[in-house]
Amino acid sequence: MNLNPKQVAEILAEKDNIVILTHFHPDGDTLGSAVALLRALRSMGKKVNFINNDPIHPKYAYLWKGLKKQKFKEQYIVAVDIATEELLGDSLKEQYSGKIELAIDHHPSNTLFAKQTCLEGDSAAAAEIVYYVIKELGVEIDAAIASCIYTGISTDTGCFKFRNTTARTFYIAGIMKDLGADTERINEVMFETKTRGELELERLMLEGMEYYYDNKLAIAVIRQEMYRQTGTTEDECEYIASIPRQVAGVFVGVTIRERKNGMWKASVRTKPPLDASAICMNFGGGGHENAAGCNFDGTLEEFKEKLVKIVGEIPV
Amino acid sequence: MNLNPKQVAEILAEKDNIVILTHFHPDGDTLGSAVALLRALRSMGKKVNFINNDPIHPKYAYLWKGLKKQKFKEQYIVAVDIATEELLGDSLKEQYSGKIELAIDHHPSNTLFAKQTCLEGDSAAAAEIVYYVIKELGVEIDAAIASCIYTGISTDTGCFKFRNTTARTFYIAGIMKDLGADTERINEVMFETKTRGELELERLMLEGMEYYYDNKLAIAVIRQEMYRQTGTTEDECEYIASIPRQVAGVFVGVTIRERKNGMWKASVRTKPPLDASAICMNFGGGGHENAAGCNFDGTLEEFKEKLVKIVGEIPV
């Protein structure tokens, strides 16, 4: 049985000594959701911590400003924005697998690994669901909670640009703004800041961008050497996979990245009517209609040649 | 006396054979506002056209899909999103100066050039005001009108990132989404599309970016030759002035552009507490606290040297 936010609130109201888990490589939604819920539950006098498998990027530090870890014997484990136990990361998975009481999530692919689950696949962000849970808890949403919820919503929608954005997403963002969310600072940190290394990597990537079929296909290649040269890591540069498709006229934008093991990984982004997952299936990969991925263990030249041929055969 | 949207609606309800003027170099807000109002007034059986001084970028064509110019003898002239008669552009100014009956605008700098004005300086976009006018007209907002209003709001706020975004901005965006605005397509066209030339220009700009004082100051230079090489124009590349400040740690981001006459123009963007207009005042320029500009008619080297010295003397 899928719980709704009211039922989640009723359950949480009865619990104490709560630990909230975030997913590995924590992003704005898992962190914003976790800390919003933590702040709300602590304001009710409960003991609550949140924990994570991996180091958190310092840009998120404002979320828990003024908060300290509490000491208590944990009694109730909640997961937010986590679709499978694998996404806990190795160390959290080892510690908590099978022990998670409640999951609050918006991924339709959630495996129902928790004992109870509140899954709303239509929510743009887990933070939308957390907003309704906090409302049902009867807690007053202060500016700090509002900033956490706004962070989850804005980061998971690419600042309201992605397709998951609904009318409700805008309404909740408006309410958070009204309640004091520091949207200006959050937007600047999340969407208007790049490191010098990231900009350098973009430059190197643009330098080598290749276009085929009158711009229908654009291919960018990122080599391990380029991360070293710019002081960046593959993780933090995930966003650059969206650049090739941004070019006017491009229907298939591909970013090929060299793995540490010498293999190649491609991120394929398409515009309708072209199907990214169909392209990636040729290489044993898959994904969504407009965003998919695949791996290749031959040479870069073989990979590109095959890819160019496949895309050439698809009519636009 | 400043009109409110209800009064504007009462006036417009009495008029017919209406011409709506947009500002020169038309953007998403002046066009979205004009066409939303046009569609609403035509649905009441009125004859309405909109006109503009300059060619409109084809990316905006969806706004007036299905509409045709109407033939009538113009009786009532309305300006939307226009702060001064200069911003009409030369040819519209010559034709309409002194003849504009009504201005609907959100620029606090509006010179009250029209016979009557509805000025709401707190609105993120003129389209927000137009939304309230259409509501007061009693017209049902269909998907086409909703897309026009969403276009005005989203483009004037940089997709809800800029400081002018208010809670009301989010609420209206949510209502437009509910009423059928094609936000996915609009976001893709407005915020996820660059020309190949624009990306090339970005690359050349990044190649020459110079950093001073441990990244406190970043300077990029754009020469006329670079526009030629990439097939771009200064106009369409206005957005790149925001790139140098985006770098983490940079407090002053400067884009120096070569003018056609060989002079230099700098766009200065700062992060608090640094004051962009104070920096530009050293060169006889000015602007806002975080975005200002100035001109220089010496050599590029003299310009940079003076600028680097001035910024070096400002404590962060």
mmCIF file with all atom_site columns, all heavy atoms in Angstrom, chain A residues 187-210:
data_model
loop_
_atom_site.group_PDB
_atom_site.id
_atom_site.type_symbol
_atom_site.label_atom_id
_atom_site.label_alt_id
_atom_site.label_comp_id
_atom_site.label_asym_id
_atom_site.label_entity_id
_atom_site.label_seq_id
_atom_site.pdbx_PDB_ins_code
_atom_site.Cartn_x
_atom_site.Cartn_y
_atom_site.Cartn_z
_atom_site.occupancy
_atom_site.B_iso_or_equiv
_atom_site.pdbx_formal_charge
_atom_site.auth_seq_id
_atom_site.auth_comp_id
_atom_site.auth_asym_id
_atom_site.auth_atom_id
_atom_site.pdbx_PDB_model_num
ATOM 1   N N   . ASN A 1 187 ? 19.865 30.286 -6.366  1.00 0.00 ? 187 ASN A N   1
ATOM 2   C CA  . ASN A 1 187 ? 19.987 30.265 -7.831  1.00 0.00 ? 187 ASN A CA  1
ATOM 3   C C   . ASN A 1 187 ? 21.405 30.596 -8.269  1.00 0.00 ? 187 ASN A C   1
ATOM 4   O O   . ASN A 1 187 ? 21.942 29.990 -9.194  1.00 0.00 ? 187 ASN A O   1
ATOM 5   C CB  . ASN A 1 187 ? 19.017 31.260 -8.467  1.00 0.00 ? 187 ASN A CB  1
ATOM 6   C CG  . ASN A 1 187 ? 17.574 30.844 -8.300  1.00 0.00 ? 187 ASN A CG  1
ATOM 7   O OD1 . ASN A 1 187 ? 17.286 29.686 -8.047  1.00 0.00 ? 187 ASN A OD1 1
ATOM 8   N ND2 . ASN A 1 187 ? 16.662 31.788 -8.419  1.00 0.00 ? 187 ASN A ND2 1
ATOM 9   N N   . GLU A 1 188 ? 22.009 31.567 -7.592  1.00 0.00 ? 188 GLU A N   1
ATOM 10  C CA  . GLU A 1 188 ? 23.371 31.945 -7.979  1.00 0.00 ? 188 GLU A CA  1
ATOM 11  C C   . GLU A 1 188 ? 24.337 30.780 -7.771  1.00 0.00 ? 188 GLU A C   1
ATOM 12  O O   . GLU A 1 188 ? 25.132 30.456 -8.652  1.00 0.00 ? 188 GLU A O   1
ATOM 13  C CB  . GLU A 1 188 ? 23.835 33.166 -7.171  1.00 0.00 ? 188 GLU A CB  1
ATOM 14  C CG  . GLU A 1 188 ? 25.186 33.682 -7.653  1.00 0.00 ? 188 GLU A CG  1
ATOM 15  C CD  . GLU A 1 188 ? 25.769 34.722 -6.725  1.00 0.00 ? 188 GLU A CD  1
ATOM 16  O OE1 . GLU A 1 188 ? 25.037 35.665 -6.369  1.00 0.00 ? 188 GLU A OE1 1
ATOM 17  O OE2 . GLU A 1 188 ? 26.946 34.584 -6.339  1.00 0.00 ? 188 GLU A OE2 1
ATOM 18  N N   . VAL A 1 189 ? 24.245 30.158 -6.602  1.00 0.00 ? 189 VAL A N   1
ATOM 19  C CA  . VAL A 1 189 ? 25.172 29.068 -6.288  1.00 0.00 ? 189 VAL A CA  1
ATOM 20  C C   . VAL A 1 189 ? 24.924 27.850 -7.172  1.00 0.00 ? 189 VAL A C   1
ATOM 21  O O   . VAL A 1 189 ? 25.860 27.217 -7.666  1.00 0.00 ? 189 VAL A O   1
ATOM 22  C CB  . VAL A 1 189 ? 25.040 28.676 -4.802  1.00 0.00 ? 189 VAL A CB  1
ATOM 23  C CG1 . VAL A 1 189 ? 25.832 27.411 -4.501  1.00 0.00 ? 189 VAL A CG1 1
ATOM 24  C CG2 . VAL A 1 189 ? 25.490 29.822 -3.911  1.00 0.00 ? 189 VAL A CG2 1
ATOM 25  N N   . MET A 1 190 ? 23.649 27.520 -7.406  1.00 0.00 ? 190 MET A N   1
ATOM 26  C CA  . MET A 1 190 ? 23.326 26.282 -8.132  1.00 0.00 ? 190 MET A CA  1
ATOM 27  C C   . MET A 1 190 ? 23.405 26.433 -9.648  1.00 0.00 ? 190 MET A C   1
ATOM 28  O O   . MET A 1 190 ? 23.752 25.488 -10.344 1.00 0.00 ? 190 MET A O   1
ATOM 29  C CB  . MET A 1 190 ? 21.915 25.794 -7.750  1.00 0.00 ? 190 MET A CB  1
ATOM 30  C CG  . MET A 1 190 ? 21.770 25.434 -6.288  1.00 0.00 ? 190 MET A CG  1
ATOM 31  S SD  . MET A 1 190 ? 22.880 24.068 -5.816  1.00 0.00 ? 190 MET A SD  1
ATOM 32  C CE  . MET A 1 190 ? 23.020 24.381 -4.059  1.00 0.00 ? 190 MET A CE  1
ATOM 33  N N   . PHE A 1 191 ? 23.054 27.608 -10.155 1.00 0.00 ? 191 PHE A N   1
ATOM 34  C CA  . PHE A 1 191 ? 22.890 27.716 -11.611 1.00 0.00 ? 191 PHE A CA  1
ATOM 35  C C   . PHE A 1 191 ? 23.783 28.753 -12.267 1.00 0.00 ? 191 PHE A C   1
ATOM 36  O O   . PHE A 1 191 ? 23.850 28.825 -13.481 1.00 0.00 ? 191 PHE A O   1
ATOM 37  C CB  . PHE A 1 191 ? 21.429 28.008 -11.951 1.00 0.00 ? 191 PHE A CB  1
ATOM 38  C CG  . PHE A 1 191 ? 20.472 27.057 -11.305 1.00 0.00 ? 191 PHE A CG  1
ATOM 39  C CD1 . PHE A 1 191 ? 19.624 27.475 -10.299 1.00 0.00 ? 191 PHE A CD1 1
ATOM 40  C CD2 . PHE A 1 191 ? 20.464 25.718 -11.680 1.00 0.00 ? 191 PHE A CD2 1
ATOM 41  C CE1 . PHE A 1 191 ? 18.753 26.591 -9.686  1.00 0.00 ? 191 PHE A CE1 1
ATOM 42  C CE2 . PHE A 1 191 ? 19.601 24.832 -11.072 1.00 0.00 ? 191 PHE A CE2 1
ATOM 43  C CZ  . PHE A 1 191 ? 18.742 25.262 -10.068 1.00 0.00 ? 191 PHE A CZ  1
ATOM 44  N N   . GLU A 1 192 ? 24.440 29.604 -11.490 1.00 0.00 ? 192 GLU A N   1
ATOM 45  C CA  . GLU A 1 192 ? 25.246 30.659 -12.098 1.00 0.00 ? 192 GLU A CA  1
ATOM 46  C C   . GLU A 1 192 ? 26.707 30.569 -11.696 1.00 0.00 ? 192 GLU A C   1
ATOM 47  O O   . GLU A 1 192 ? 27.434 31.556 -11.787 1.00 0.00 ? 192 GLU A O   1
ATOM 48  C CB  . GLU A 1 192 ? 24.683 32.044 -11.700 1.00 0.00 ? 192 GLU A CB  1
ATOM 49  C CG  . GLU A 1 192 ? 23.307 32.344 -12.250 1.00 0.00 ? 192 GLU A CG  1
ATOM 50  C CD  . GLU A 1 192 ? 23.334 32.628 -13.740 1.00 0.00 ? 192 GLU A CD  1
ATOM 51  O OE1 . GLU A 1 192 ? 24.205 33.381 -14.189 1.00 0.00 ? 192 GLU A OE1 1
ATOM 52  O OE2 . GLU A 1 192 ? 22.476 32.074 -14.457 1.00 0.00 ? 192 GLU A OE2 1
ATOM 53  N N   . THR A 1 193 ? 27.118 29.417 -11.186 1.00 0.00 ? 193 THR A N   1
ATOM 54  C CA  . THR A 1 193 ? 28.505 29.296 -10.750 1.00 0.00 ? 193 THR A CA  1
ATOM 55  C C   . THR A 1 193 ? 29.166 28.055 -11.350 1.00 0.00 ? 193 THR A C   1
ATOM 56  O O   . THR A 1 193 ? 28.628 26.956 -11.258 1.00 0.00 ? 193 THR A O   1
ATOM 57  C CB  . THR A 1 193 ? 28.586 29.221 -9.208  1.00 0.00 ? 193 THR A CB  1
ATOM 58  O OG1 . THR A 1 193 ? 27.941 30.374 -8.661  1.00 0.00 ? 193 THR A OG1 1
ATOM 59  C CG2 . THR A 1 193 ? 30.027 29.188 -8.736  1.00 0.00 ? 193 THR A CG2 1
ATOM 60  N N   . LYS A 1 194 ? 30.298 28.272 -11.996 1.00 0.00 ? 194 LYS A N   1
ATOM 61  C CA  . LYS A 1 194 ? 31.105 27.157 -12.480 1.00 0.00 ? 194 LYS A CA  1
ATOM 62  C C   . LYS A 1 194 ? 32.517 27.370 -11.966 1.00 0.00 ? 194 LYS A C   1
ATOM 63  O O   . LYS A 1 194 ? 32.926 28.509 -11.750 1.00 0.00 ? 194 LYS A O   1
ATOM 64  C CB  . LYS A 1 194 ? 31.127 27.139 -14.005 1.00 0.00 ? 194 LYS A CB  1
ATOM 65  C CG  . LYS A 1 194 ? 29.797 26.819 -14.626 1.00 0.00 ? 194 LYS A CG  1
ATOM 66  C CD  . LYS A 1 194 ? 29.843 26.991 -16.126 1.00 0.00 ? 194 LYS A CD  1
ATOM 67  C CE  . LYS A 1 194 ? 28.493 26.634 -16.734 1.00 0.00 ? 194 LYS A CE  1
ATOM 68  N NZ  . LYS A 1 194 ? 28.467 26.909 -18.184 1.00 0.00 ? 194 LYS A NZ  1
ATOM 69  N N   . THR A 1 195 ? 33.293 26.285 -11.821 1.00 0.00 ? 195 THR A N   1
ATOM 70  C CA  . THR A 1 195 ? 34.682 26.483 -11.450 1.00 0.00 ? 195 THR A CA  1
ATOM 71  C C   . THR A 1 195 ? 35.475 26.835 -12.710 1.00 0.00 ? 195 THR A C   1
ATOM 72  O O   . THR A 1 195 ? 35.052 26.577 -13.829 1.00 0.00 ? 195 THR A O   1
ATOM 73  C CB  . THR A 1 195 ? 35.306 25.230 -10.814 1.00 0.00 ? 195 THR A CB  1
ATOM 74  O OG1 . THR A 1 195 ? 35.346 24.207 -11.812 1.00 0.00 ? 195 THR A OG1 1
ATOM 75  C CG2 . THR A 1 195 ? 34.480 24.744 -9.634  1.00 0.00 ? 195 THR A CG2 1
ATOM 76  N N   . ARG A 1 196 ? 36.635 27.410 -12.490 1.00 0.00 ? 196 ARG A N   1
ATOM 77  C CA  . ARG A 1 196 ? 37.516 27.737 -13.599 1.00 0.00 ? 196 ARG A CA  1
ATOM 78  C C   . ARG A 1 196 ? 37.857 26.477 -14.386 1.00 0.00 ? 196 ARG A C   1
ATOM 79  O O   . ARG A 1 196 ? 37.908 26.483 -15.609 1.00 0.00 ? 196 ARG A O   1
ATOM 80  C CB  . ARG A 1 196 ? 38.788 28.371 -13.002 1.00 0.00 ? 196 ARG A CB  1
ATOM 81  C CG  . ARG A 1 196 ? 39.510 29.248 -13.955 1.00 0.00 ? 196 ARG A CG  1
ATOM 82  C CD  . ARG A 1 196 ? 40.616 29.989 -13.229 1.00 0.00 ? 196 ARG A CD  1
ATOM 83  N NE  . ARG A 1 196 ? 41.728 30.148 -14.142 1.00 0.00 ? 196 ARG A NE  1
ATOM 84  C CZ  . ARG A 1 196 ? 42.817 30.839 -13.897 1.00 0.00 ? 196 ARG A CZ  1
ATOM 85  N NH1 . ARG A 1 196 ? 42.953 31.443 -12.722 1.00 0.00 ? 196 ARG A NH1 1
ATOM 86  N NH2 . ARG A 1 196 ? 43.766 30.954 -14.782 1.00 0.00 ? 196 ARG A NH2 1
ATOM 87  N N   . GLY A 1 197 ? 38.035 25.368 -13.668 1.00 0.00 ? 197 GLY A N   1
ATOM 88  C CA  . GLY A 1 197 ? 38.330 24.103 -14.326 1.00 0.00 ? 197 GLY A CA  1
ATOM 89  C C   . GLY A 1 197 ? 37.178 23.627 -15.202 1.00 0.00 ? 197 GLY A C   1
ATOM 90  O O   . GLY A 1 197 ? 37.389 23.129 -16.314 1.00 0.00 ? 197 GLY A O   1
ATOM 91  N N   . GLU A 1 198 ? 35.961 23.783 -14.723 1.00 0.00 ? 198 GLU A N   1
ATOM 92  C CA  . GLU A 1 198 ? 34.799 23.370 -15.518 1.00 0.00 ? 198 GLU A CA  1
ATOM 93  C C   . GLU A 1 198 ? 34.711 24.175 -16.814 1.00 0.00 ? 198 GLU A C   1
ATOM 94  O O   . GLU A 1 198 ? 34.442 23.633 -17.880 1.00 0.00 ? 198 GLU A O   1
ATOM 95  C CB  . GLU A 1 198 ? 33.507 23.539 -14.707 1.00 0.00 ? 198 GLU A CB  1
ATOM 96  C CG  . GLU A 1 198 ? 33.315 22.465 -13.648 1.00 0.00 ? 198 GLU A CG  1
ATOM 97  C CD  . GLU A 1 198 ? 32.218 22.797 -12.639 1.00 0.00 ? 198 GLU A CD  1
ATOM 98  O OE1 . GLU A 1 198 ? 31.693 23.932 -12.668 1.00 0.00 ? 198 GLU A OE1 1
ATOM 99  O OE2 . GLU A 1 198 ? 31.902 21.938 -11.805 1.00 0.00 ? 198 GLU A OE2 1
ATOM 100 N N   . LEU A 1 199 ? 34.941 25.494 -16.714 1.00 0.00 ? 199 LEU A N   1
ATOM 101 C CA  . LEU A 1 199 ? 34.910 26.333 -17.919 1.00 0.00 ? 199 LEU A CA  1
ATOM 102 C C   . LEU A 1 199 ? 36.017 25.923 -18.885 1.00 0.00 ? 199 LEU A C   1
ATOM 103 O O   . LEU A 1 199 ? 35.820 25.912 -20.096 1.00 0.00 ? 199 LEU A O   1
ATOM 104 C CB  . LEU A 1 199 ? 35.077 27.806 -17.539 1.00 0.00 ? 199 LEU A CB  1
ATOM 105 C CG  . LEU A 1 199 ? 33.815 28.615 -17.250 1.00 0.00 ? 199 LEU A CG  1
ATOM 106 C CD1 . LEU A 1 199 ? 34.165 30.076 -17.125 1.00 0.00 ? 199 LEU A CD1 1
ATOM 107 C CD2 . LEU A 1 199 ? 32.758 28.435 -18.338 1.00 0.00 ? 199 LEU A CD2 1
ATOM 108 N N   . GLU A 1 200 ? 37.184 25.593 -18.338 1.00 0.00 ? 200 GLU A N   1
ATOM 109 C CA  . GLU A 1 200 ? 38.293 25.143 -19.172 1.00 0.00 ? 200 GLU A CA  1
ATOM 110 C C   . GLU A 1 200 ? 37.936 23.840 -19.883 1.00 0.00 ? 200 GLU A C   1
ATOM 111 O O   . GLU A 1 200 ? 38.226 23.662 -21.067 1.00 0.00 ? 200 GLU A O   1
ATOM 112 C CB  . GLU A 1 200 ? 39.545 24.910 -18.300 1.00 0.00 ? 200 GLU A CB  1
ATOM 113 C CG  . GLU A 1 200 ? 40.480 26.088 -18.235 1.00 0.00 ? 200 GLU A CG  1
ATOM 114 C CD  . GLU A 1 200 ? 41.018 26.427 -19.611 1.00 0.00 ? 200 GLU A CD  1
ATOM 115 O OE1 . GLU A 1 200 ? 41.809 25.631 -20.163 1.00 0.00 ? 200 GLU A OE1 1
ATOM 116 O OE2 . GLU A 1 200 ? 40.623 27.491 -20.117 1.00 0.00 ? 200 GLU A OE2 1
ATOM 117 N N   . LEU A 1 201 ? 37.310 22.930 -19.153 1.00 0.00 ? 201 LEU A N   1
ATOM 118 C CA  . LEU A 1 201 ? 36.906 21.661 -19.756 1.00 0.00 ? 201 LEU A CA  1
ATOM 119 C C   . LEU A 1 201 ? 35.880 21.902 -20.863 1.00 0.00 ? 201 LEU A C   1
ATOM 120 O O   . LEU A 1 201 ? 35.946 21.289 -21.933 1.00 0.00 ? 201 LEU A O   1
ATOM 121 C CB  . LEU A 1 201 ? 36.322 20.729 -18.688 1.00 0.00 ? 201 LEU A CB  1
ATOM 122 C CG  . LEU A 1 201 ? 36.065 19.297 -19.170 1.00 0.00 ? 201 LEU A CG  1
ATOM 123 C CD1 . LEU A 1 201 ? 37.371 18.527 -19.288 1.00 0.00 ? 201 LEU A CD1 1
ATOM 124 C CD2 . LEU A 1 201 ? 35.115 18.559 -18.243 1.00 0.00 ? 201 LEU A CD2 1
ATOM 125 N N   . GLU A 1 202 ? 34.941 22.815 -20.619 1.00 0.00 ? 202 GLU A N   1
ATOM 126 C CA  . GLU A 1 202 ? 33.965 23.175 -21.665 1.00 0.00 ? 202 GLU A CA  1
ATOM 127 C C   . GLU A 1 202 ? 34.687 23.674 -22.913 1.00 0.00 ? 202 GLU A C   1
ATOM 128 O O   . GLU A 1 202 ? 34.330 23.316 -24.025 1.00 0.00 ? 202 GLU A O   1
ATOM 129 C CB  . GLU A 1 202 ? 33.041 24.297 -21.174 1.00 0.00 ? 202 GLU A CB  1
ATOM 130 C CG  . GLU A 1 202 ? 31.785 23.817 -20.511 1.00 0.00 ? 202 GLU A CG  1
ATOM 131 C CD  . GLU A 1 202 ? 30.863 24.972 -20.132 1.00 0.00 ? 202 GLU A CD  1
ATOM 132 O OE1 . GLU A 1 202 ? 30.672 25.895 -20.941 1.00 0.00 ? 202 GLU A OE1 1
ATOM 133 O OE2 . GLU A 1 202 ? 30.358 24.962 -18.998 1.00 0.00 ? 202 GLU A OE2 1
ATOM 134 N N   . ARG A 1 203 ? 35.695 24.517 -22.693 1.00 0.00 ? 203 ARG A N   1
ATOM 135 C CA  . ARG A 1 203 ? 36.425 25.073 -23.828 1.00 0.00 ? 203 ARG A CA  1
ATOM 136 C C   . ARG A 1 203 ? 37.090 23.965 -24.639 1.00 0.00 ? 203 ARG A C   1
ATOM 137 O O   . ARG A 1 203 ? 36.989 23.917 -25.865 1.00 0.00 ? 203 ARG A O   1
ATOM 138 C CB  . ARG A 1 203 ? 37.479 26.066 -23.345 1.00 0.00 ? 203 ARG A CB  1
ATOM 139 C CG  . ARG A 1 203 ? 38.255 26.731 -24.470 1.00 0.00 ? 203 ARG A CG  1
ATOM 140 C CD  . ARG A 1 203 ? 39.300 27.684 -23.949 1.00 0.00 ? 203 ARG A CD  1
ATOM 141 N NE  . ARG A 1 203 ? 40.444 27.013 -23.356 1.00 0.00 ? 203 ARG A NE  1
ATOM 142 C CZ  . ARG A 1 203 ? 41.414 26.405 -24.043 1.00 0.00 ? 203 ARG A CZ  1
ATOM 143 N NH1 . ARG A 1 203 ? 41.373 26.370 -25.361 1.00 0.00 ? 203 ARG A NH1 1
ATOM 144 N NH2 . ARG A 1 203 ? 42.422 25.819 -23.421 1.00 0.00 ? 203 ARG A NH2 1
ATOM 145 N N   . LEU A 1 204 ? 37.767 23.040 -23.936 1.00 0.00 ? 204 LEU A N   1
ATOM 146 C CA  . LEU A 1 204 ? 38.435 21.938 -24.625 1.00 0.00 ? 204 LEU A CA  1
ATOM 147 C C   . LEU A 1 204 ? 37.424 21.064 -25.370 1.00 0.00 ? 204 LEU A C   1
ATOM 148 O O   . LEU A 1 204 ? 37.665 20.594 -26.474 1.00 0.00 ? 204 LEU A O   1
ATOM 149 C CB  . LEU A 1 204 ? 39.225 21.084 -23.624 1.00 0.00 ? 204 LEU A CB  1
ATOM 150 C CG  . LEU A 1 204 ? 40.414 21.778 -22.952 1.00 0.00 ? 204 LEU A CG  1
ATOM 151 C CD1 . LEU A 1 204 ? 41.007 20.878 -21.878 1.00 0.00 ? 204 LEU A CD1 1
ATOM 152 C CD2 . LEU A 1 204 ? 41.473 22.143 -23.989 1.00 0.00 ? 204 LEU A CD2 1
ATOM 153 N N   . MET A 1 205 ? 36.273 20.880 -24.742 1.00 0.00 ? 205 MET A N   1
ATOM 154 C CA  . MET A 1 205 ? 35.226 20.059 -25.347 1.00 0.00 ? 205 MET A CA  1
ATOM 155 C C   . MET A 1 205 ? 34.705 20.728 -26.620 1.00 0.00 ? 205 MET A C   1
ATOM 156 O O   . MET A 1 205 ? 34.526 20.075 -27.649 1.00 0.00 ? 205 MET A O   1
ATOM 157 C CB  . MET A 1 205 ? 34.109 19.908 -24.325 1.00 0.00 ? 205 MET A CB  1
ATOM 158 C CG  . MET A 1 205 ? 32.885 19.203 -24.837 1.00 0.00 ? 205 MET A CG  1
ATOM 159 S SD  . MET A 1 205 ? 31.669 19.211 -23.490 1.00 0.00 ? 205 MET A SD  1
ATOM 160 C CE  . MET A 1 205 ? 30.252 18.534 -24.358 1.00 0.00 ? 205 MET A CE  1
ATOM 161 N N   . LEU A 1 206 ? 34.464 22.042 -26.548 1.00 0.00 ? 206 LEU A N   1
ATOM 162 C CA  . LEU A 1 206 ? 33.944 22.775 -27.716 1.00 0.00 ? 206 LEU A CA  1
ATOM 163 C C   . LEU A 1 206 ? 34.966 22.770 -28.849 1.00 0.00 ? 206 LEU A C   1
ATOM 164 O O   . LEU A 1 206 ? 34.618 22.700 -30.024 1.00 0.00 ? 206 LEU A O   1
ATOM 165 C CB  . LEU A 1 206 ? 33.598 24.218 -27.337 1.00 0.00 ? 206 LEU A CB  1
ATOM 166 C CG  . LEU A 1 206 ? 32.417 24.394 -26.384 1.00 0.00 ? 206 LEU A CG  1
ATOM 167 C CD1 . LEU A 1 206 ? 32.271 25.858 -25.988 1.00 0.00 ? 206 LEU A CD1 1
ATOM 168 C CD2 . LEU A 1 206 ? 31.126 23.897 -27.032 1.00 0.00 ? 206 LEU A CD2 1
ATOM 169 N N   . GLU A 1 207 ? 36.235 22.833 -28.459 1.00 0.00 ? 207 GLU A N   1
ATOM 170 C CA  . GLU A 1 207 ? 37.306 22.860 -29.442 1.00 0.00 ? 207 GLU A CA  1
ATOM 171 C C   . GLU A 1 207 ? 37.270 21.624 -30.336 1.00 0.00 ? 207 GLU A C   1
ATOM 172 O O   . GLU A 1 207 ? 37.544 21.700 -31.531 1.00 0.00 ? 207 GLU A O   1
ATOM 173 C CB  . GLU A 1 207 ? 38.642 22.895 -28.685 1.00 0.00 ? 207 GLU A CB  1
ATOM 174 C CG  . GLU A 1 207 ? 39.777 23.577 -29.385 1.00 0.00 ? 207 GLU A CG  1
ATOM 175 C CD  . GLU A 1 207 ? 40.925 23.757 -28.400 1.00 0.00 ? 207 GLU A CD  1
ATOM 176 O OE1 . GLU A 1 207 ? 41.643 22.774 -28.115 1.00 0.00 ? 207 GLU A OE1 1
ATOM 177 O OE2 . GLU A 1 207 ? 41.070 24.871 -27.880 1.00 0.00 ? 207 GLU A OE2 1
ATOM 178 N N   . GLY A 1 208 ? 36.930 20.485 -29.747 1.00 0.00 ? 208 GLY A N   1
ATOM 179 C CA  . GLY A 1 208 ? 36.968 19.247 -30.509 1.00 0.00 ? 208 GLY A CA  1
ATOM 180 C C   . GLY A 1 208 ? 35.610 18.787 -31.010 1.00 0.00 ? 208 GLY A C   1
ATOM 181 O O   . GLY A 1 208 ? 35.471 17.673 -31.503 1.00 0.00 ? 208 GLY A O   1
ATOM 182 N N   . MET A 1 209 ? 34.597 19.617 -30.868 1.00 0.00 ? 209 MET A N   1
ATOM 183 C CA  . MET A 1 209 ? 33.241 19.183 -31.257 1.00 0.00 ? 209 MET A CA  1
ATOM 184 C C   . MET A 1 209 ? 33.177 18.947 -32.764 1.00 0.00 ? 209 MET A C   1
ATOM 185 O O   . MET A 1 209 ? 33.628 19.764 -33.554 1.00 0.00 ? 209 MET A O   1
ATOM 186 C CB  . MET A 1 209 ? 32.229 20.243 -30.853 1.00 0.00 ? 209 MET A CB  1
ATOM 187 C CG  . MET A 1 209 ? 30.834 19.697 -30.867 1.00 0.00 ? 209 MET A CG  1
ATOM 188 S SD  . MET A 1 209 ? 30.117 19.765 -29.231 1.00 0.00 ? 209 MET A SD  1
ATOM 189 C CE  . MET A 1 209 ? 29.098 21.207 -29.405 1.00 0.00 ? 209 MET A CE  1
ATOM 190 N N   . GLU A 1 210 ? 32.600 17.805 -33.136 1.00 0.00 ? 210 GLU A N   1
ATOM 191 C CA  . GLU A 1 210 ? 32.465 17.461 -34.562 1.00 0.00 ? 210 GLU A CA  1
ATOM 192 C C   . GLU A 1 210 ? 30.991 17.412 -34.939 1.00 0.00 ? 210 GLU A C   1
ATOM 193 O O   . GLU A 1 210 ? 30.169 16.928 -34.177 1.00 0.00 ? 210 GLU A O   1
ATOM 194 C CB  . GLU A 1 210 ? 33.107 16.090 -34.830 1.00 0.00 ? 210 GLU A CB  1
ATOM 195 C CG  . GLU A 1 210 ? 34.606 16.083 -34.651 1.00 0.00 ? 210 GLU A CG  1
ATOM 196 C CD  . GLU A 1 210 ? 35.191 14.683 -34.768 1.00 0.00 ? 210 GLU A CD  1
ATOM 197 O OE1 . GLU A 1 210 ? 34.446 13.723 -35.057 1.00 0.00 ? 210 GLU A OE1 1
ATOM 198 O OE2 . GLU A 1 210 ? 36.411 14.549 -34.537 1.00 0.00 ? 210 GLU A OE2 1
#
